[in-house]
Structures are given as C-alpha cells and as structure tokens.
Amino acid sequence: MIQFAIPAPPSELAAVALETAAALGASVAQFRLAAHDSRGVSIRDGEVENIGADTSIAMSVRVVHGGAWGFAATTDLSAIGASDVANRAVSMAKLSTLVAVDEVVLAAEPRHGKQSWTLPIEIDAFSKSDDEVIHFLQEWNSRVAASSIVSHIESNIAMGRDRTFYADLIGNEITQQRDRISAALTAIHVSDSGFEDMRTCAPPAGRGWEYLTGTGWDWNSEIDQIPEYLAEKVKSPSVTPGAMDLVIDPTNLWLTIHESIGHATELDRALGYEANYAGTSFATIDKLGVFKYGSPIMNVTGDRIADHGLSTVGFDDEGVSAQRWDLIKDGILVGYQTDRSIASKIDMDRSNGCAFADSALHSPIQRMPNVSLQPGTDSTTTADLIADVQSGIYIVGDKSWSIDMQRFNFQFTGQRFHEIKNGKIVGQLKDVAYQSKTPDFWGAMRRIGGAQTYLLGGALNCGKGQPGQVAPVSHGCPSALFTGINVLNTRDESGA
Amino acid sequence: MSQMNLPDAVEYALSLLGKDGGVVVGGNSASNNLRWANSALTTNGDAVDQTLAISAFVKLAGGVGTGMASGQVRNKNDVENLVAASKSAATSAGPAVDAMELVAGPLHDDFSDKPAELSVADITHVSNGLGEVLRQRSQEFFGFAEQSRDTTYVGTSAGTRMRYVENTSRFELCAKSLDRTRSAWSGQGGTSLRNVSVQVHSDEVLAKLEHQKNIINVEPGRHRVTLSPSAAADLMIYFLWSAAAREAAEGRNAFANPKGGTRIGEKLSDRRISLATDPSLAGMETFDHVVNLGSSALSSAFDTGMEIPRIQVITDGTLTALGSSRHAAKSAKLPFTPLTDNIEFKDQDGHGSLSELASRMNDGLLITCLWYIREVDPQNLLLTGLTRDGVYVVRDGQIAGAANNFRFNESPIEMLSRVTDAGDAFACLPREWADWFSRAKVAPVTITDFNLSSRSDAV
C-alpha cells in the first residue's frame, strides 16, 4: 500500500481540484500529487562530510482551457489549496490565450481507472539506519585507503523514492511508487607532477539496498581494483591523437547513447519545442523511416518497462500505460519519444508514454524513456571485440560529456583507456577524449557484443525544459567496436 | 492554509535542537513562468513551494556531528520529526571535520514578516509584449520568461535571525529563420521582468538574423575571438565554482601549486583583470551573510551567520583569493573568503560596448553564446562546449557575415593570459548556467588563439 502521510487523502484533494477546474470550463484537467524521498551520505577521506534526508511533497493541476495549457502547483495540501491551485491553473491558461496559443490536442488513451504500480525491489534501502549506511560506506573507504597510491577518497550513497498519485476528469486514479539507488567511490592520487583520479563505474539503478550488496553489480571486485587501476593510470603515457578503433564498454557507451540517440529522438525537440533551451534535433520528421542513423547492426528501442530501469513506470504522468517501441531499426530512424500533445502533432494514434515531471511543482513535459542499443544475436564477447583491433583503445566508464544543440558534434572522455595492440590490452593511456558526429559515429559501429555484454547504465540528472527539470533514465547496451574515430589528446587541446 | 508559519517553524525547530544547537532555514519560493515555441505560447506555471531545512549539531566524544533533514511542515509534529531525523543523522555522522563555533549573526527586524507574495504583474508585462512580436511571420520565435520571489528565513542557535527576499527574473528570446538555417538569441537577467522590453530583444535578434544571411565558412583552429558578456560569464562562473582553497591546498585542483600550496599570488594575465563576488553589487544584491546547511569545498553550516564581504578572486590580473569555509581557510593557512551568488568580471583598461570591442578586434570571430560546457581535465580546468546562436565574422572592424558553429576546448584560467582587449562590464544572462547563477556583471573580452577544436553543423 503506497502511503502519502498527509491529512487529506489524495483522492479527496483531486476531487476538489478537478471539480473546480471543470466548473471553470477546463476541457482537460489532470491532478498530480507527488512525494519524493531522498537520503544520502557522503564520506571524504574517511570522515562523513554530509548526511541528510529530504521529503518534498506537493500537488498540481494542469488544465486545457481555451485550447491552452495552464499549470499551477502548491505545497499547501488542503482542500482550499486544491481549489486555489485549480483556479490558478485556469488563470494561467487564460493568460496564454490572450497572446498566441499552441493549441493542445491530446492523442487518445484508454481509461485505465484505478491502478496501483510499484517498482519491485528486494530490500528497502530506506529501512537501513544512518549507522548502517555509514558503516557500509566506510568499509569501502577503508579497503581503498590501504593503498599507498591513494591520497584522497570521496564516496557516496544516495537513494530516492517517488510516490505519485494521478487523477483526471475521465476517471483515472493511478498510484505509483518507484525506488532508485546509486553509489560511487573516487580515489585520487596527488604528487608533485599533478593529480589523477579513478572512479567506480557502477550505474544508478532502479533497485533497493540489494544492489549495493552484489545483486546487479560486483562492487567488491570493482572497489578492490580501484587502487590498481589508479596506479596504472598515474604511470600511463599520454595518448597520441588521431583516428583509431575504439572498443567501448557499456559503462561508457550508455552516455553516448543518451546524448546522441536519446535526446535526438525526442519528438518535441525535433519539432522545435526545446529550441530556446536544450536545443532541437537533426533527426527531423522528414527523416522518419528513411534516415540512415547508423550501421545496419544498430537497433535501438525506447521503453518504460525495462527491469530496474530508472525511467520504468506503470503509467506516465498523463495516464498513458508503459510501452516498448523501436526508435532505430537496422540502422534506420523509425520512431520517436512522445507525450500525448506532442504525439498529436504528427498524427500518431497514441502517445508512447513519455510524459514526466520531476515533481508536482513542475508541469509534465516529454522526457526520455529508457533508450537502449540492442545486443547482437551471437555470443560475441568484449574480448572478441578487443581481439579484432590491431591498434586502438578499450574505453571504460564515463566522465566528461558534451554535445551540440542539434545532437551532431559530441566529445566524451572516460575513466579508463586501455591501449590495444594486436588484439591485446597492453596498458592504460591518459588524456584521451573521443570526438565525432552522430551519424558518422554510429555508421562506424562495425561489431557489437552479444547479450552477455549487455549492461543497463544510466543517470539520475538528465536535464531538460524551462523551468529546468531533472529526470532519471537508463540506457542498456552491449560492448561495441567503432572504427576510425577521432581521438584527441586533452593536454594538447589545452595548449599546455 | 495547511502550512506552518515559517518564522514560527524556525523558532520551534531551534528550541527543539536544544543547547547543542544548529542551523534552521525556512524557504518560501513563488514563481511564474511562460514558455513559447514556434511563435506560440506552450507551457506555463504558477507555483509556490515552502520547505523547512535543518542542520542539527550534536556534541559527541571528540567533537560535534552534523546531520540534515528537510521537508514541508504543516504542524509542530512535522517540525519535531525533522529535528529528530537531523539529530539522529548528526549522531551517526561522528565529529565533523569543519566544526567551528557558530557566530552571532544579524537580527533582522523583519524576521517575523510573512513571505513576500508574487503578483502576476511581472509575467503579464511579458505576455503583453509578446503578442505583437509573435505575430511577425517572417521568422519563428522561441523563448522563456520567469519571475521568482524567494523568501528565506535563517535562524541559528547562536542567535542569528535573518530574512532575505530575493527577486529574480529571466527573459530569453530566440529567433529562427523559417528554414531554421539561421538562429539568434538574446537574454536578460535581473530582478523584475517589468524591466524587460520584448520589442528591444526582438529588434536585436532580428538584426542578428540579418547578419547571418551571409554565411562564411570558417575552419576550426585557434582563432582570435571576442566573447560576449554572456559567453565570458559562463566561462568565468565555472572558474569561480572551481576556485576552492581546500582542494588547491591539497594539490587536487587547477589552482594548486605543484610545488606545494596554492597559486594565489600568480599572475594570470598581464592586463588589469579582476574577478569578484560582492553581495552589494548594484542591481545584483544577494546574500551578505553565509547561509549553509551542509559541508562543501566552498562553505560550511558552521559558518552560517558570518558576514560575506566583497571577495577579489583576481586583482589586476593576479590570483588573490580562493573560496573557502572558515575551516578550509584555516587548514590552508589562508584568509576566510566566503563567496556569494554573483560575479563581477572586468578589465580596468577595458572600455566600450560589445560591438565597439568587436570592431576594435578588426579581424576575428564574435561569439554570442556558449552551450553544454563541461569539464574535460580538472588539472588545468580544460572545458569543452559549443558556440550557439551566432558566431559572426568580423573583417576590417565590421561584421561581414556569420560562421558555422564550433566545439571549443579551452581553460578559463589559461585563456586569461591571452586576453588582448576588453569592453565595459555589463549585466548579462549567462546562457549555460542561468538555471543556477543569473547575477552576472561581466565584460566582453577579446582573446587570441581561442581553441575552436572542431566544426559543429548545429544551428
């Protein structure tokens, strides 16, 4: 049973708000109440630097009135607050109609009625005491601190839980809960010739505490290897720039997918709705069904159903049930991500369920689902891909990222750059960045790993929209081999 | 109303924290916004958020622990729960490294006043002005306007009672040609949208679109550029965020001296460049005392109530300070230098407007906006990012046309040594960081050998 711990049940507040909006002439009214719990601990050089918890809860009403959206929100969770927020939402819609309205038409969605959905977890991370969380993280710290190569350590554990209630004028009442957890440890080496660092590569996940104890990620092994990886990086040579073959691990490739495919296939961007802020997309609708996005082995799906996915839900934030669909098939652009109003812009019969707001204080907008590159159908391993490279780099872990406002030109770095010579890893390199253009990069994908190399990566901090909103999102992918990618030396780039 | 009065909530929380004490911050944030795209209003919002946040101090064997808890408070029971959670966390945390005695900060007379309300007059001013602009059909308009009013109540167990009201406004207008091959942007930060003339911004972006009709292909490489105040602000804000005394003293940021200590005292530019934060900066006034609940490289809960003076990070081209908490300053054997939420970047020898500066450049590129700025290498603070919405080719002191966009790789520290000219400092809206940092008075600068690493075909 999902609980909100507020004086009035969400359904009562919703009834007041929806009746008020309807009485004021709203043709569409959507009520959302959302509670967000977060808790985190950070440890710096063995001492707790920050520990804290937050619960924020608010409610909002979004209406269509006179063909325009109107949105208002409050933390005053009373019947008076519900009535007031509905009134304010209608007022905002009326303000828009005085200027020039982008008329709202919603793609059809069946009524789902009363629904409840909870993301499955094994162990409730919020049930762990502060002492347990701190001691758990301290144990990681102490294992790494024993190494003489490590000058400083930073580490953290963060957990989050969303509890949401959605209701609308057609009789939907949807209650949902989902959890997420993340952790990271960074070891830093300082010497009179500078400093280097090495961070764990474990992604955040839609899981409970079990994630930190070995379900879904081998933390013990990774943490034990951090000093060794750092020591090797410290003594590694600086890369010689130029075009080269890259085997990219899922711990790095997820972020390239996020930036160059995830955002590029957002239909609102392609149509210009993010043009002032996040940008547009080169993947415009005239390219749908014909544009060669990448090599023929490239198959990418969008979904809101992946196990442990950070974007996984039962229903989106305007009552659309979760789905899975193709974005890129055999290298060709075949789909987009949509919410209901954006889907109607290109006459789609139905939204694929990507409406999301990061709190009840923000209006839902079209946000990214889990966007994943599908693995190959054979049993190709990462070692097979490395063995296929005469001279190149195996890149592991994400670090710096940047892409242009149409999702063409990007540049990424990583945690580790293992040099490959004659099909074998011979050591690490440093000062590496790879830079490419989206269709060129994906067109250069020559081989992909099989299902056993597949990993669900992701981020908690995907930004979009004005006012700015953040969203958690996952990206699954296998290891993959790319040929002839431009590698930069970041020291050369700095002019140092 | 179902919410507890914030000043009362702060006092009640402090009473529950007892003699070990702590810091309590109540925040009421009201905001209105409008967004438009394809020359029509799209989304909007009218939101009021109210929270209480507590940093509890608990005396332990060996020191003082701190822990935080925050959330909405409807009644005393909610406050009691937050205090209990923060004290429990503080007890578990163990002694805090940055523990210091709280100081008795100011007692503001208006501490018990209600939160400042936000009227719709500011947002209506913009919507009224937009109507005529959006009716122009020879191009498409996109943009965003937001007005917010934040009332912050700060109480500490050392007696500090502060109330701050911050008004923040933001206006952005982007125009694109109908075929979307040309794009221009104009932005304005400040305290009230009523200071915005939509027509002035419209005139500016339409003039920029005209300049873009002549496309001049420019190859990537190291170029002489003039950065607009917005573009320079985005780079210098990152400089400021990275300028932490603690990490420098530990040898682990770009401000560390490899031979030990920090780079304070090092000449970064031969020009009389200065970089400062100043709570009294005219038109950009902000917190003049520390308000903080947690610990970071730049601040500490234990410093809450300490006065924030003007801090000169760079003076006449020389690095003169790095941001710090009291503890970080003591550890690094440096003066306490709390930074606040604005930036002033200027060159004492700079003069004139952006267009005058670009004209003095004679030949080069005028860059109006930067975007998607991320750190590539912390050792030298190498940043990457893109130019956006207008790179103009200046020849013989005149704008000759527009170039394609570029990815840049540059360090805001190292580039200061290549500043050759500057204009007057102006209030501007930093395009990249405006979500977090919008109070900026920054001079446009001309820089030689700016590293435009590769071409971007994005518009």
Side-chain angles (χ1 to χ4, degrees):
Chain A
M1 184 74 174
I2 300 167
Q3 302 281 351
F4 290 93
I6 56 175
S11 57
E12 286 184 14
L13 297 173
V16 171
L18 294 174
E19 284 168 16
T20 304
L24 292 168
S27 57
V28 171
Q30 300 168 338
F31 173 90
R32 293 183 68 248
L33 187 143
H36 304 280
D37 307 309
S38 62
R39 193 167 156 224
V41 174
S42 62
I43 292 179
R44 186 178 191 274
D45 292 339
E47 307 289 345
V48 173
E49 184 171 42
N50 285 299
I51 178 168
D54 176 75
T55 293
S56 62
I57 184 165
M59 66 179 175
S60 60
V61 173
R62 186 169 71 156
V63 300
V64 177
H65 189 285
W69 283 125
F71 176 84
T74 184
T75 49
D76 177 5
L77 304 177
S78 66
I80 293 171
S83 172
D84 178 61
V85 81
N87 269 287
R88 285 163 42 214
V90 171
S91 296
M92 290 305 289
K94 287 179 175 174
L95 182 70
S96 294
T97 58
L98 294 174
V99 186
V101 171
D102 182 47
E103 186 166 357
V104 179
V105 177
L106 300 183
E109 177 67 14
R111 177 181 179 275
H112 299 289
K114 278 199 173 184
Q115 297 281 346
S116 182
W117 179 90
T118 301
L119 185 134
I121 57 169
E122 294 174 21
I123 301 170
D124 178 4
F126 285 88
S127 71
K128 296 290 174 184
S129 70
D130 290 333
D131 283 342
E132 285 177 284
V133 176
I134 290 168
H135 290 150
F136 186 88
L137 194 53
Q138 287 284 25
E139 197 272 329
W140 284 0
N141 276 256
S142 58
R143 281 156 61 181
V144 174
S147 168
S148 60
I149 196 75
V150 176
S151 311
H152 298 281
I153 306 170
E154 292 179 351
S155 61
N156 67 80
I157 291 174
M159 56 192 85
R161 172 173 292 157
D162 302 333
R163 292 169 284 145
T164 60
F165 175 85
Y166 168 88
D168 56 30
L169 287 177
I170 65 167
N172 286 313
E173 280 196 9
I174 300 169
T175 309
Q176 304 189 83
Q177 176 172 305
R178 57 181 190 164
D179 284 37
R180 66 187 75 91
I181 193 161
S182 67
L185 183 145
T186 303
I188 300 119
H189 172 78
V190 179
S191 71
D192 55 9
S193 58
F195 60 97
E196 297 285 355
D197 60 34
M198 185 64 62
R199 197 197 71 217
T200 50
C201 298
R207 296 182 185 266
W209 186 259
E210 70 276 4
Y211 183 54
L212 303 186
T213 57
T215 301
W217 191 262
D218 186 354
W219 290 92
N220 286 333
S221 171
E222 184 175 35
I223 285 165
D224 286 343
Q225 287 178 293
I226 288 286
E228 181 188 332
Y229 287 140
L230 178 61
E232 189 180 33
K233 183 180 181 183
V234 167
K235 65 183 182 186
S236 64
S238 196
V239 70
T240 302
M244 60 185 77
D245 295 350
L246 304 179
V247 175
I248 304 184
D249 193 79
T251 53
N252 182 275
L253 191 58
W254 74 266
L255 184 50
T256 312
I257 291 168
H258 176 87
E259 300 292 358
S260 67
I261 305 172
H263 282 303
T265 55
E266 293 171 323
L267 184 55
D268 62 342
R269 289 183 67 119
L271 294 173
Y273 287 89
E274 280 286 330
N276 180 65
Y277 183 65
T280 58
S281 172
F282 72 89
T284 46
I285 54 171
D286 56 302
K287 295 184 173 73
L288 189 63
V290 295
F291 180 69
K292 189 180 172 190
Y293 212 107
S295 71
I297 59 173
M298 181 185 192
N299 291 287
V300 179
T301 58
D303 80 76
R304 301 207 69 184
I305 61 172
D307 289 347
H308 315 298
L310 295 164
S311 186
T312 296
V313 293
F315 300 85
D316 79 353
D317 283 351
E318 49 184 7
V320 177
S321 59
Q323 301 158 45
R324 182 179 191 269
W325 66 99
D326 289 329
L327 292 168
I328 297 166
K329 187 84 176 163
D330 300 329
I332 304 296
L333 174 72
V334 295
Y336 287 108
Q337 312 152 40
T338 69
D339 62 19
R340 292 178 67 186
S341 65
I342 295 296
S344 74
K345 300 288 183 191
I346 60 167
D347 299 324
M348 287 172 63
D349 292 336
R350 190 185 179 206
S351 162
N352 46 39
C354 296
F356 174 78
D358 63 0
S359 84
L361 293 167
H362 288 144
S363 180
I365 56 175
Q366 187 252 291
R367 295 308 311 266
M368 202 183 295
N370 306 307
V371 171
S372 300
L373 173 68
Q374 297 308 302
T377 53
D378 63 15
S379 56
T380 300
T381 65
T382 304
D384 293 335
L385 300 177
I386 291 169
D388 203 11
V389 173
Q390 288 302 302
S391 176
I393 305 174
Y394 171 45
I395 300 178
V396 182
D398 63 83
K399 199 169 186 185
S400 174
W401 72 100
S402 175
I403 190 165
D404 72 29
M405 46 283 178
Q406 275 191 294
R407 305 280 142 175
F408 274 125
N409 176 307
F410 60 70
Q411 179 176 304
F412 293 92
T413 66
Q415 290 296 320
R416 304 197 300 276
F417 307 97
H418 301 279
E419 185 175 20
I420 305 170
K421 281 192 183 299
N422 299 317
K424 295 192 184 315
I425 288 174
V426 297
Q428 284 191 49
L429 297 167
K430 61 187 169 194
D431 308 327
V432 176
Y434 65 97
Q435 199 181 76
S436 190
K437 189 173 159 180
T438 296
D440 295 346
F441 178 80
W442 291 107
M445 185 168 69
R446 208 182 79 205
R447 291 184 70 185
I448 53 174
Q452 75 276 27
T453 72
Y454 188 85
L455 175 75
L456 197 65
L460 301 174
N461 60 344
C462 172
K464 186 180 174 185
Q466 288 183 303
Q469 299 193 41
V470 292
V473 60
S474 289
H475 301 289
C477 58
S479 296
L481 168 60
F482 299 81
T483 55
I485 305 299
N486 185 32
V487 168
L488 306 179
N489 180 302
T490 57
R491 289 300 171 100
D492 291 352
E493 287 295 301
S494 73
Chain B
M1 290 287 285
S2 71
Q3 299 180 101
M4 197 171 172
N5 174 286
L6 276 178
D8 292 346
V10 170
E11 294 292 0
Y12 186 54
L14 287 168
S15 72
L16 295 172
L17 286 171
K19 60 179 172 42
D20 286 356
V23 177
V24 183
V25 178
N28 178 287
S29 177
S31 63
N32 294 322
N33 66 77
L34 284 178
R35 200 176 192 202
W36 55 98
N38 307 317
S39 293
L41 291 186
T42 56
T43 58
N44 52 57
D46 173 359
V48 180
D49 184 15
Q50 186 160 301
T51 60
L52 188 76
I54 297 167
S55 183
F57 300 168
V58 174
K59 282 187 180 158
L60 305 167
V64 178
T66 65
M68 292 177 285
S70 57
Q72 276 90 36
V73 287
R74 288 169 290 278
N75 51 45
K76 286 188 170 182
N77 188 50
D78 289 342
V79 178
E80 289 159 9
N81 288 338
L82 287 179
V83 169
S86 59
K87 289 177 94 165
S88 171
T91 304
S92 296
V97 169
D98 58 344
M100 308 277 277
E101 282 294 316
L102 276 171
V103 298
L107 292 167
H108 290 174
D109 293 339
D110 60 357
F111 179 77
S112 298
D113 288 0
K114 289 180 179 175
E117 292 191 353
L118 179 64
S119 85
V120 295
D122 298 77
I123 206 82
T124 303
H125 171 79
V126 167
S127 65
N128 289 341
L130 273 174
E132 192 171 335
V133 168
L134 298 187
R135 278 193 287 276
Q136 299 174 69
R137 290 296 169 211
S138 54
Q139 59 284 309
E140 291 177 303
F141 290 98
F142 308 80
F144 178 64
E146 183 175 47
Q147 179 72 50
S148 62
R149 181 162 293 166
D150 299 300
T151 309
T152 306
Y153 299 88
V154 186
T156 75
S157 49
T160 299
R161 296 291 185 275
M162 302 186 290
R163 178 179 180 273
Y164 290 96
V165 177
E166 278 207 327
N167 296 301
T168 305
S169 63
R170 172 177 177 179
F171 177 84
E172 298 181 54
L173 185 67
C174 174
K176 291 183 183 293
S177 59
L178 296 180
D179 63 3
R180 297 198 180 170
T181 59
R182 294 175 286 137
S183 184
W185 178 88
S186 178
Q188 181 176 333
T191 56
S192 173
L193 286 173
R194 277 177 277 195
N195 298 326
V196 169
S197 166
V198 179
Q199 191 60 51
V200 166
H201 286 278
S202 172
D203 292 346
E204 181 182 335
V205 292
L206 293 181
K208 287 176 173 175
L209 281 187
E210 278 300 301
H211 285 308
Q212 293 181 25
K213 283 183 173 174
N214 184 30
I215 304 294
I216 300 171
N217 184 51
V218 177
E219 294 298 319
R222 291 190 175 270
H223 290 269
R224 179 191 298 120
V225 304
T226 291
L227 298 179
S228 72
S230 172
D234 276 326
L235 294 174
M236 297 315 296
I237 288 168
Y238 204 94
F239 180 115
L240 199 62
W241 283 342
S242 306
R246 183 180 76 178
E247 269 69 9
E250 291 174 348
R252 45 185 292 205
N253 73 11
F255 298 94
N257 184 338
K259 294 173 185 168
T262 74
R263 293 173 67 180
I264 289 176
E266 183 177 326
K267 196 82 171 166
L268 303 180
S269 173
D270 290 335
R271 296 184 64 87
R272 294 197 294 159
I273 284 172
S274 69
L275 174 69
T277 70
D278 183 352
S280 303
L281 192 61
M284 299 177 188
E285 293 84 357
T286 185
F287 291 88
D288 57 1
H289 287 77
V290 173
V291 179
N292 200 53
L293 290 159
S295 294
S296 73
L298 294 171
S299 197
S300 165
F302 295 98
D303 295 345
T304 297
M306 293 289 295
E307 185 177 1
I308 303 177
R310 178 183 174 91
I311 300 292
Q312 287 280 152
V313 176
I314 300 173
T315 307
D316 290 338
T318 297
L319 184 70
T320 44
L322 295 167
S324 63
S325 65
R326 279 186 297 169
H327 174 263
K330 187 178 174 188
S331 299
K333 299 182 175 60
L334 292 168
F336 172 48
T337 45
L339 304 178
T340 195
D341 193 26
N342 62 25
I343 184 172
E344 183 186 53
F345 176 66
K346 60 185 181 182
D347 183 331
Q348 298 293 345
D349 299 316
H351 60 94
S353 65
L354 173 63
S355 57
E356 289 166 344
L357 178 67
S359 180
R360 292 203 300 270
M361 177 173 62
N362 204 38
D363 289 294
L365 300 172
L366 168 59
I367 293 174
T368 52
C369 295
L370 300 179
W371 187 247
Y372 221 131
I373 300 169
R374 294 293 183 274
E375 185 177 293
V376 177
D377 187 349
Q379 300 213 44
N380 49 26
L381 206 61
L382 180 70
L383 306 180
T384 193
L386 285 306
T387 62
R388 181 174 184 179
D389 289 329
V391 178
Y392 300 96
V393 179
V394 177
R395 287 179 180 160
D396 297 327
Q398 301 291 321
I399 292 177
N404 43 278
N405 279 306
F406 298 93
R407 168 171 300 287
F408 69 87
N409 280 317
E410 264 292 349
S411 164
I413 304 173
E414 207 277 328
M415 77 176 191
L416 295 178
S417 68
R418 288 179 274 117
V419 172
T420 58
D421 198 0
D424 292 319
F426 299 101
C428 65
L429 184 68
R431 180 90 185 263
E432 169 81 15
W433 303 124
D435 282 353
W436 301 274
F437 202 112
S438 63
R439 290 170 161 77
K441 183 181 180 186
V442 171
V445 286
T446 297
I447 300 169
T448 58
D449 295 328
F450 194 87
N451 183 13
L452 298 172
S453 175
S454 61
R455 176 191 176 101
S456 162
D457 292 322
V459 176

